[in-house]
Each structure stands twice: as structure tokens, then as C-alpha cells.
Amino acid sequence: MITVEEARELVLARIAALDTERVALLDALGRVLGEDVVSDIDVAPFDNSAMDGYAVRAVDVADASADSPVVLDVVEYIPAGVAPTVTVATGEASRIMTGAPMPEGADAVVMIERTEAGAADGAPGGTVEILAPVKAGENVRYRAEEVRAGEAVLVKGEVVGAAAIGLAASVGHQTLTVNRRPRVAIVSTGDELVEVSERPGPGQIRNSNSYSLAAQVLAAGAEPHTLGIARDNVEHTRSLLGRASEFDLMITTGGVSMGDLDVVKGVLEEIGELEFWKVAMRPGAPQTFGTIGGTPFFGLPGNPTSTMVGFELFVRPAIRKMAGFATLDRPRVSATLSHDVRKKAARRYFMRARLTKVADCTYSVAVSGNQSSALLTAMHRGNCLLSLPEGKDFFPAGCEVECIRLDMEEGTT
Ligand code: AMP
Ligand code: MG
């Protein structure tokens, strides 16, 4: 049996980033940029005011105070969207709004709160009293402060978040080139499975894994394609697994244990290549990986929690690598274990658990319910996988343990 790390390395060695595609700006959200995004203009395109107030020459108001205001003649009113036409000379000011272009001659803006309207209520032709000094450049946003025309606002490989969408929009890009989303086929296996819409008869259960997996695929930024249920015979399993090359990646659940009817591994060996089929972990040791016609293939175990944990550890990093992400793994944090845990020394355990913050950067962790791999509630109530290494069989309450955060997107380690 190989270790979790060995399995992960074998998987990632078989995965390459997909090609790119051009998509509408909003459809790029959460995806990885395939090329630099270059600006067609300076941003900001002109020097402008950061405040509503009066554009002035800073030297004119150096001695201004509430007790002894400096009175300036108002020569122009400049709302946003209008180009100023009057130069501000010594002893003069222009009334200016946030985002409006700075007039010639002025080098600072006094915010409205530090002024008092004088003659004509501070309109052009009247006066304004300045109650406080400003430094040259204060409350002015300069041309090209964000980026110069011809420079990149976003760089290939960066993840497109909401701010990136705003930056791309500000420099005139209505589309972006991003890595393609992996198309992921999902096949459940088992004679006992019925569709979710049906009421299970004797010995039957609903096919819930196709749904939990499709949800994980979606959450990982990929496109799920559920192909239905393969029955536990070689012919039917072969016909569904044979569709792998229509997709970027294929996942099956169930049919990889030691039972007489577990035919997935045999079919994989027949029509593809098997890389490994057992990993020293719990839940879900029979984690199977290989390729079919070059398409990566994951034969996850059937128990609902084993399926989801296998996806987290092996499939999610593969999907992220295909989608072009540099960071493949969830963040990990160290936490204080709330209770004793006994385990088998030979295997890595991934317990479904809940992290709680007890102080800044300090967490405690406790299991979040029954740890049977057939049950999903502990996974639902938890927010992490408590990772307990092989080589030890007892972890006492109070010891430090490592947790993989399932409630966060990506880590830096
Ligand atoms: P298997 O590995 O095929 O023996 O499946 C292990 C356990 O997981 C059995 O109890 C199955 O009934 C259950 N199981 C398998 N596939 C699914 C599925 N798609 N949805 C829910 N449970 C499943
Ligand atoms: Mg089965």
C-alpha cells in the first residue's frame, strides 16, 4: 500500500493544465488568467479630486485656520465628467467634486468640511473661506496612479476575483482568456442503487454519491457530467468507463473493494492503465487511480464519506491543476485535540471534525459525529479533516494535531 503523499504525487504527475478559452468578463470569475490583461489607457486617465471641496494652490492656504481663515475668490464650478477651463491663480479656488479633473494652477483640494462658503455661497464669482492648510498633492488622485497605457493590470496565472473583474472592466476588456474548466464524468456503480427520485425497495439505497461528487466538482470550479449508474457487471461497467475520453477526467464510486462484484479495477486494467488501487488511509483505502485512453480516472470507494474524502485528497488537486491554479491544496491549521483518539498505527486517518477558534490563531478540534464511513452527517457538521499520521496509534487530549480546512478555498502551503 502506498502513502497518501505518494498517491498524490502519482496523480499529479499524470495531470496537465488544460488549454485556455475566451469568455465573457463575468464568466471569468474564479478562474485562472491565460494571458496578461493590458490597459488601453492611463488609469486614472487624468489628475482628479479625491474629495468634494475646493481646488487651491497649497501655498495660498499655508496659514489658514478656523480663527483666521484665508478668503479665496471662486473662479469655476467643476462637477465630475466636465473638463475645467479656468486656471486657478494666486488667491483663487475652484469648487470641485470627487472625480472631477483638477484645474490648471491648483495643486491640492481642501475638503468641503474645512471650508465655509463666503460671498455668493461659494459659487463662481463669490468667495470661500479656507479653515485649514493642505499640503501640495493632498486629496489629488494622479493620472496613471493605477496603471499606464500599455502596461498589464492583470498577469497570466492570477486568479480572477471581483477586483480583477473591476480592473479588467476599467481598461476596456469585455472578455478574458482563462483556463478551461475541466469536464468531469461521474459514474456510480452498484446493483443496489436506485435514483434519488425513487423509494428504495428491499436491499436498495439511493444513489447519493453522484450528487455529493457533482457538488464537489462544481465547488472545485469544474463541470460535472453525471453518466448514471453502472451495474455490477463487466459489460455495463465497460460501456460507461469506455466514455472516459469524452471528458477531461472520470470519477467512479464503488466497486473497488474485494467483493466478487467489484469489477471497476478489472475493467480499468482491461481498457486502460492502473496506477494504484490502495492507499494507507482511513476512511477509504481502496482509492484507485489510472488512465483510460489518456484520460485520468479515479475509482473512489463507495461509502459516502470515503468517496468525499478521496475526492478532497486526490481529485480536487487534480482538477485545480487542470484548471491552471498554482495552489492546489486547502489550507491547513494546527489545533489542540479536545479528546483522546485511538487509531490503527499503519494508516493515516482523516477524521471528520470541527475546528473552533479559542483565541487569535489558536484552535481546538473535536470530531463532529459518528466516524463510520457509511454516514455523511459528521462530514456535514464538520468543517475540517483532522489528519492523524501513520506510525502512532494514540493521540491524547491536549496534543497538537493538523487539520485540513474544508471551509476555505486554498492555502499557501
Ligand atoms: P462498494 O465499494 O461498491 O462495495 O460500496 C460500499 C458501500 O457504499 C456500500 O454500502 C454501497 O451500498 C455504498 N454505496 C456505493 N455506491 C453508492 C452511491 N452511489 N451512493 C450511496 N452509497 C453508495
Ligand atoms: Mg458496489
Side-chain angles (χ1 to χ4, degrees):
M1 257 196 280
I2 59 176
T3 66
V4 172
E5 282 72 26
E6 286 165 344
R8 184 181 179 283
E9 289 313 310
L10 284 171
V11 167
L12 291 178
R14 291 280 180 178
I15 304 289
L18 301 177
D19 48 353
T20 58
E21 62 181 351
R22 185 164 277 280
V23 299
L25 188 51
L26 267 186
D27 292 334
L29 184 65
R31 297 168 71 173
V32 178
L33 269 178
E35 63 183 18
D36 292 358
V37 175
V38 172
S39 179
D40 61 339
I41 52 166
D42 289 344
V43 181
F46 45 83
D47 296 350
N48 66 93
S49 176
M51 291 282 174
D52 294 328
Y54 287 85
V56 300
R57 302 163 76 99
V59 289
D60 286 359
V61 300
D63 298 326
S65 68
D67 293 340
S68 131
V70 172
V71 180
L72 300 174
D73 294 327
V74 179
V75 293
E76 191 177 19
Y77 176 81
I78 316 166
V82 170
T85 57
V86 183
T87 299
V88 175
T90 302
E92 294 178 347
S94 283
R95 179 100 172 84
I96 194 165
M97 301 294 125
T98 305
M102 285 293 286
E104 290 287 324
D107 59 6
V109 173
V110 182
M111 61 202 283
I112 193 88
E113 294 86 342
R114 299 201 179 138
T115 68
E116 220 150 80
D121 206 21
T127 58
V128 61
E129 292 181 7
I130 306 295
L131 309 179
V134 275
K135 290 198 274 296
E138 205 169 326
N139 299 326
V140 179
R141 303 187 291 213
Y142 288 102
R143 175 177 184 157
E145 225 170 43
E146 184 101 59
V147 69
R148 276 185 196 291
E151 283 178 359
V153 278
L154 304 172
V155 179
K156 179 179 167 156
E158 288 180 340
V159 180
V160 180
I165 298 247
L167 280 167
S170 72
V171 300
H173 288 251
Q174 292 177 281
T175 60
L176 290 177
T177 298
V178 291
N179 274 75
R180 203 158 57 70
R181 284 184 201 281
R183 301 175 72 246
V184 179
I186 298 169
V187 176
S188 280
T189 72
D191 286 339
E192 75 280 27
L193 301 179
V194 297
E195 296 297 348
V196 173
S197 55
E198 292 173 47
R199 197 179 170 78
Q204 296 182 322
I205 59 166
R206 290 194 175 102
N207 170 20
S208 59
N209 287 353
S210 280
Y211 284 84
S212 52
L213 274 174
Q216 287 182 297
V217 167
L218 268 179
E223 240 179 58
H225 296 263
T226 45
L227 303 190
I229 300 164
R231 296 307 171 189
D232 288 325
N233 62 73
V234 170
E235 296 70 33
H236 195 211
T237 302
R238 190 196 288 127
S239 75
L240 284 176
L241 268 54
R243 295 186 56 191
S245 58
E246 296 170 33
F247 302 91
D248 298 309
L249 192 150
M250 180 177 264
I251 309 171
T252 64
T253 85
V256 285
S257 311
M258 299 301 284
D260 296 340
L261 298 175
D262 291 330
V263 299
V264 170
K265 177 169 158 267
V267 170
L268 173 60
E269 285 172 314
E270 180 198 328
I271 67 169
E273 275 177 58
L274 174 74
E275 284 265 358
F276 61 80
W277 67 285
K278 263 193 157 201
V279 179
M281 61 181 272
R282 190 168 178 164
Q287 304 279 346
T288 306
F289 176 71
T291 52
I292 298 177
T295 299
F297 173 89
F298 293 86
L300 302 180
N303 275 311
T305 290
S306 308
T307 303
M308 290 193 71
V309 171
F311 182 95
E312 269 298 329
L313 297 177
F314 307 116
V315 188
R316 189 176 181 277
I319 285 177
R320 286 182 67 86
K321 186 170 180 189
M322 280 183 163
F325 289 94
T327 310
L328 306 182
D329 294 312
R330 303 269 197 188
R332 291 168 186 245
V333 291
S334 175
T336 308
L337 189 58
S338 300
H339 50 73
D340 293 352
V341 175
R342 283 186 194 284
K343 65 183 270 294
K344 286 188 179 152
R347 294 187 184 193
R348 174 83 51 91
Y349 274 37
F350 295 98
M351 307 189 83
R352 283 68 70 200
R354 185 138 203 107
L355 270 172
T356 313
K357 201 171 188 170
V358 287
D360 274 354
C361 303
T362 310
Y363 292 87
S364 72
V365 65
V367 295
S368 49
N370 187 321
Q371 295 291 303
S372 162
S373 63
L375 309 176
L376 266 187
T377 303
M379 189 91 189
H380 163 60
R381 302 241 161 101
N383 57 7
C384 72
L385 292 175
L386 161 52
S387 171
L388 297 177
E390 45 278 79
K392 272 176 84 172
D393 61 3
F394 180 61
F395 292 82
C399 73
E400 285 297 300
V401 289
E402 187 181 58
C403 301
I404 302 170
R405 297 200 71 144
L406 301 180
D407 55 351
M408 287 187 175
E409 285 282 295
E410 54 178 325
T412 50
T413 53

